Amino acid sequence: MSKYTPVIETPQRVPITEEIARQHPGVIILDPKRVPEFQVVDADVVPTSPGKVSLTLQTESSDLGTRDLMPDVRMTQGTISWYWTQDTFVYHEITIHNYASSAASGMVILWSLKDGYGCGVPFSDLAAGADLTVTVPFEVLPQHSSIGIKPMAVEIRVDPTGLTSWMARMPIDAIEKYNNDASHLFDPDGGENLETSDLYHFPFSEGYRVLLEAAQAADDTTEPYQSAYAITQYVNGAMNYTYEDPYIEYIFSDLYLMDHPSPINGKYLGVCDEYGTLYTAFARALGIPTRFLSFTMRLPSGNITGHAIAESWNGNAWIHSDPTLNVFDNPQVYRADGNTHISITIYGDADDSYYTQDPNDPTGDGILRYEDFRTQILLGEVPRYN
């Protein structure tokens, strides 16, 4: 295999200044020295709706010796969004309780600890012993944030001095993904390359798991090309190539791969189909339009073989990714290695119901025959790899 190293620029997040914060009402800058002070709170976490969880915090004891001397307002419950999309608002409902003996006013802040800023909303005249649910609209600023894992924290400040009455890191991290509307990272195929299927189970049908690992793979990247490269490398390192017969005959879904790791080293198992499947699932989960491709080619020996890869849309072009070989943005690698007669197939939605005659491949199990979800052969695209 010919060697090629893509040029990956690593743009950095732009730090938020006081001037920028003033341009976005509700945005507050977080002193980075304070981040370690936010300790994870003990809470019951229950999924409530796509992308949201309900938190019920464990009961905290109150120091009766000091509760009358200062305001004592704490979070007791919340409905938290565990993923957000760049350049949008994401809403969190926070329930607070006033444990003091007099009314309290102040502010509830939702922090993104990694991005160094948060958004706050005020509350006023919360009676002693009363509860209040406030909605905190968190503004996702793409130029000041990144794709990936977003540890969240809640802080309650009380008047008149802005003293912190309660603060904690949430027990579930958020995930930031790309925006796929017409003015951002739009899919040129009308959303086809962002869809879920029996191969790709993100993010709502199976919840947090697929999107979380995708975010870990591309964590702290800031533009699609960089994210796709990071996912390529991650999938290559997370999988072991196997020669077991089932992986030659079938294609296994992202969930199957995650549920059936190697008993030896815990890595995922598969051939190029599974490498491409996992890459496609992770990239799509983060909002990167991605399509799964396979092709046949004649080796220098004269034998015919097949291979599976993927392409991701960076906003201007389809970028080649081969997680099996850990090759990125180098579609000529196959030609450079002496292969010829390359014929490419682009695959669409995968559905077990396309093929139900095999008792070993029942409908809905996420295991598909290789031919089951072929959609079309685009011979006009062959020169890119030939």
Side-chain angles (χ1 to χ4, degrees), residues 188-302:
D189 295 327
E192 179 179 343
N193 305 299
L194 291 164
E195 293 177 350
T196 59
S197 71
D198 284 341
L199 281 180
Y200 320 124
H201 296 83
F202 62 87
F204 303 138
S205 60
E206 300 297 334
Y208 191 63
R209 185 165 54 139
V210 174
L211 186 53
L212 175 63
E213 188 160 354
Q216 292 169 341
D219 192 37
D220 221 23
T221 58
T222 55
E223 55 92 22
Y225 187 93
Q226 181 191 15
S227 301
Y229 178 61
I231 296 171
T232 300
Q233 292 186 302
Y234 178 89
V235 171
N236 178 266
M239 294 194 68
N240 276 351
Y241 198 93
T242 180
Y243 294 93
E244 296 181 13
D245 288 342
Y247 290 96
I248 304 299
E249 184 178 0
Y250 298 95
I251 290 182
F252 293 80
S253 73
D254 51 4
L255 292 181
Y256 187 96
L257 297 175
M258 297 168 78
D259 287 336
H260 297 83
S262 166
I264 298 175
N265 57 16
K267 290 190 175 185
Y268 304 134
L269 295 172
V271 296
C272 55
D273 301 324
E274 283 69 46
Y275 281 77
T277 293
L278 198 61
Y279 171 89
T280 300
F282 287 166
R284 287 187 179 186
L286 293 177
I288 305 173
T290 299
R291 56 192 190 185
F292 183 103
L293 294 81
S294 75
F295 55 88
T296 58
M297 58 186 173
R298 179 175 293 169
L299 302 174
S301 65

Side-chain angles (χ1 to χ4, degrees), residues 43-55:
D44 296 324
V45 181
V46 179
T48 58
S49 60
K52 290 183 178 292
V53 294
S54 172
L55 304 180

Side-chain angles (χ1 to χ4, degrees), residues 26-44:
V27 170
I28 307 168
I29 298 175
L30 175 64
D31 183 348
K33 296 179 181 179
R34 297 191 60 215
V35 172
E37 299 175 6
F38 292 88
Q39 301 299 311
V40 177
V41 68
D42 188 11
D44 296 324

Side-chain angles (χ1 to χ4, degrees), residues 20-271:
I20 294 173
R22 284 193 292 270
Q23 297 172 9
H24 299 272
V27 170
I28 307 168
I29 298 175
L30 175 64
D31 183 348
K33 296 179 181 179
R34 297 191 60 215
V35 172
E37 299 175 6
F38 292 88
Q39 301 299 311
V40 177
V41 68
D42 188 11
D44 296 324
V45 181
V46 179
T48 58
S49 60
K52 290 183 178 292
V53 294
S54 172
L55 304 180
T56 301
L57 278 60
Q58 302 300 318
T59 302
E60 297 182 354
S61 61
S62 178
D63 187 346
L64 298 178
T66 61
R67 63 181 297 179
D68 292 332
L69 301 179
M70 63 181 64
D72 185 6
V73 182
R74 311 176 194 173
M75 176 180 175
T76 58
Q77 291 181 312
T79 300
I80 301 292
S81 297
W82 55 258
Y83 90 95
W84 51 62
T85 302
Q86 289 192 330
D87 210 13
T88 62
F89 283 88
V90 60
Y91 296 89
H92 308 267
E93 294 181 355
I94 307 296
T95 299
I96 59 178
H97 181 85
N98 185 2
Y99 288 91
S101 58
S102 59
S105 300
M107 175 175 290
V108 179
I109 305 171
L110 190 288
W111 295 110
S112 173
L113 298 181
K114 179 180 289 186
D115 295 327
Y117 74 93
C119 296
V121 293
F123 66 92
S124 60
D125 297 323
L126 178 60
D131 293 317
L132 175 67
T133 298
V134 299
T135 299
V136 182
F138 183 83
E139 185 174 4
V140 186
L141 304 173
Q143 66 271 34
H144 307 291
S145 64
S146 61
I147 297 302
I149 306 296
K150 301 295 176 181
M152 295 180 289
V154 172
E155 181 177 5
I156 301 172
R157 296 177 181 176
V158 290
D159 296 337
T161 61
L163 176 74
T164 296
S165 176
W166 184 91
M167 58 186 289
R169 176 172 167 173
M170 296 295 96
I172 185 171
D173 292 335
I175 295 162
E176 185 168 325
K177 63 186 291 290
Y178 288 104
N179 190 326
N180 297 122
D181 70 14
S183 61
H184 293 85
L185 189 58
F186 184 71
D187 181 4
D189 295 327
E192 179 179 343
N193 305 299
L194 291 164
E195 293 177 350
T196 59
S197 71
D198 284 341
L199 281 180
Y200 320 124
H201 296 83
F202 62 87
F204 303 138
S205 60
E206 300 297 334
Y208 191 63
R209 185 165 54 139
V210 174
L211 186 53
L212 175 63
E213 188 160 354
Q216 292 169 341
D219 192 37
D220 221 23
T221 58
T222 55
E223 55 92 22
Y225 187 93
Q226 181 191 15
S227 301
Y229 178 61
I231 296 171
T232 300
Q233 292 186 302
Y234 178 89
V235 171
N236 178 266
M239 294 194 68
N240 276 351
Y241 198 93
T242 180
Y243 294 93
E244 296 181 13
D245 288 342
Y247 290 96
I248 304 299
E249 184 178 0
Y250 298 95
I251 290 182
F252 293 80
S253 73
D254 51 4
L255 292 181
Y256 187 96
L257 297 175
M258 297 168 78
D259 287 336
H260 297 83
S262 166
I264 298 175
N265 57 16
K267 290 190 175 185
Y268 304 134
L269 295 172
V271 296

